[in-house]
Amino acid sequence: MLKGNEIKQLIPQREPFIMVDEIEASDDTHAVTALTVRSDNYFMLPDGTISETCLIEHIAQSCSALMGCLALDQHLANPPVGLIGEVKHFECHRRPQVNEKVCTTIEFGFTFGDVTIATGESCIGEELIAKAQLKIFVQQ
């Protein structure tokens, strides 16, 4: 499991835009990440939930974290930077509230050149709260 400063070595985002607290597991094509919603989250709404935009960003940063883990495994000096090219099939069943832990499973699918298709599913406990497919352009 990776946390805190270890995450900062894998993703390009910095506070207050870091939307991944932990990497619980990863392999060549999958990762499980987590975000505990805090009241000072940049995407916090007046009703005490985070926005749908935050969920998309969390899924995207989870993809970035997996790319960072893969770069670390390959002993690369710097992890690649991924840019969201497209978001498809986004569904939000509910927005997380303060103190809830969002766990996201990422799967990398088809890759062609610098483009990777990834899917992400975010849950709180066993409850699916969001999912999306992302097209990511990877800059080495």
Side-chain angles (χ1 to χ4, degrees):
M1 180 184 305
L2 301 173
K3 292 182 175 187
N5 286 331
E6 296 170 316
I7 301 288
K8 292 179 184 177
Q9 295 174 8
L10 302 177
I11 65 175
Q13 291 78 11
R14 293 295 172 255
E15 296 296 343
F17 299 106
I18 296 177
M19 298 299 144
V20 173
D21 294 329
E22 301 174 13
I23 301 171
E24 297 179 351
S26 67
D27 63 24
D28 291 345
T29 58
H30 296 82
V32 178
T33 66
L35 171 68
T36 299
V37 178
R38 299 185 332 236
S39 61
D40 64 345
N41 186 293
Y42 182 82
F43 296 98
M44 184 60 57
L45 298 172
D47 68 357
T49 64
I50 55 173
S51 69
E52 289 90 347
T53 304
C54 183
L55 289 168
I56 293 170
E57 183 62 23
H58 169 64
I59 292 169
Q61 287 187 29
S62 296
C63 292
S64 185
L66 176 53
M67 284 188 261
C69 286
L70 294 173
L72 193 64
D73 290 346
Q74 297 171 9
H75 306 290
L76 300 177
N78 295 309
V81 175
L83 304 170
I84 300 171
E86 181 178 39
V87 177
K88 290 177 72 174
H89 311 295
F90 176 68
E91 294 179 21
C92 179
H93 302 285
R94 80 169 178 91
R95 297 188 313 264
Q97 300 175 349
V98 173
N99 296 324
E100 288 187 309
K101 183 176 180 178
V102 180
C103 292
T104 296
T105 302
I106 296 298
E107 180 178 5
F108 285 170
F110 180 75
T111 297
F112 183 77
D114 294 338
V115 178
T116 296
I117 304 299
T119 56
E121 291 189 350
S122 298
C123 296
I124 296 173
E126 297 295 318
E127 177 189 6
L128 177 67
I129 62 161
K131 64 182 182 175
Q133 181 183 75
L134 304 178
K135 184 183 294 181
I136 302 170
F137 294 92
V138 180
Q139 297 178 330
Q140 301 292 333

